[in-house]
Amino acid sequence: IFLILLIPFSLTRTFGRMVGQVRQGYAIAAVMGVLALLSVTLTMTFQGLLTTPVLVLGGTAVAMATDGGRAAMLNSGAHGLTEVLYAFTSASNNNGSAFAGVTVNTVWYDTALGLCMAFGRFLPIVFVLALAGSLARQGHTPESDGTLPTHRPQFVGMVAGVTVVLVALTFLPALALGPLAEGIH
């Protein structure tokens, strides 16, 4: 969710520079920049850099590095990594299901996946509410030549493209080591 909030901030300023009038975006960009800095600082304090990638990838890395995480795995290699990666992905983003090959009914996994589930649900909510509050306090800015229209296909394509690239760069390395390597094997 943080990246989804960061993308419009970046695109608003970028498109403002492209048309030569950035003062339209500065009012929103200033508040969103403070909130982005605050959210990065809070996220770095609690989990690292970004909420979901750190919970999923960090949790998987810790599980693979500790005896408690590896002891609950019935499979080794790429399939075992896939099972643990899925468990942390599901806990951080959904309801906490897991493959049958990893026994998550241990103290280590109960604690780790419970923390992932709590942080994965509530930290993005806090960040979104903070952004919504700041946007609600802002006044209306009249349209001008430098206003970025957000209802056109160009804006939608840029947001979708940047989102796909950022998500791919974040998760493809882990997917290459687990599910993709298992499929090739």
Side-chain angles (χ1 to χ4, degrees):
I1 288 186
F2 178 75
L3 290 176
I4 293 172
L5 297 176
L6 187 62
I7 290 168
F9 166 72
S10 301
L11 290 179
T12 302
R13 187 173 188 294
T14 302
F15 280 107
R17 289 186 65 163
M18 286 172 60
V19 296
Q21 188 177 18
V22 293
R23 87 182 143 86
Q24 286 280 328
Y26 279 144
I28 294 173
V31 175
M32 289 180 74
V34 169
L35 285 175
L37 181 63
L38 178 65
S39 63
V40 166
T41 304
L42 289 175
T43 304
M44 288 178 70
T45 303
F46 290 111
Q47 292 123 4
L49 185 57
L50 301 169
T51 305
T52 302
V54 168
L55 290 174
V56 173
L57 301 175
T60 303
V62 171
M64 294 288 98
T66 59
D67 292 333
R70 288 191 312 269
M73 293 172 44
L74 298 177
N75 299 305
S76 62
H79 190 71
L81 177 65
T82 301
E83 292 170 347
V84 174
L85 184 66
Y86 176 77
F88 280 98
T89 302
S90 180
S92 297
N93 295 309
N94 196 3
N95 61 356
S97 62
F99 282 154
V102 62
T103 306
V104 293
N105 193 17
T106 63
V107 174
W108 194 93
Y109 273 108
D110 286 344
T111 304
L113 295 176
L115 289 173
C116 280
M117 193 178 298
F119 288 143
R121 289 176 188 228
F122 293 117
L123 281 179
I125 292 171
V126 169
F127 298 147
V128 169
L129 288 176
L131 181 63
S134 74
L135 291 176
R137 286 192 303 267
Q138 291 180 0
H140 177 71
T141 304
E143 282 191 34
S144 71
D145 292 335
T147 302
L148 171 65
T150 58
H151 63 281
R152 296 205 176 131
Q154 180 184 17
F155 180 79
V156 174
M158 287 293 292
V159 170
V162 169
T163 303
V164 167
V165 167
L166 287 175
V167 169
L169 289 173
T170 302
F171 288 106
L172 275 179
L175 293 175
L177 290 173
L180 297 177
E182 183 179 356
I184 292 172
H185 188 279

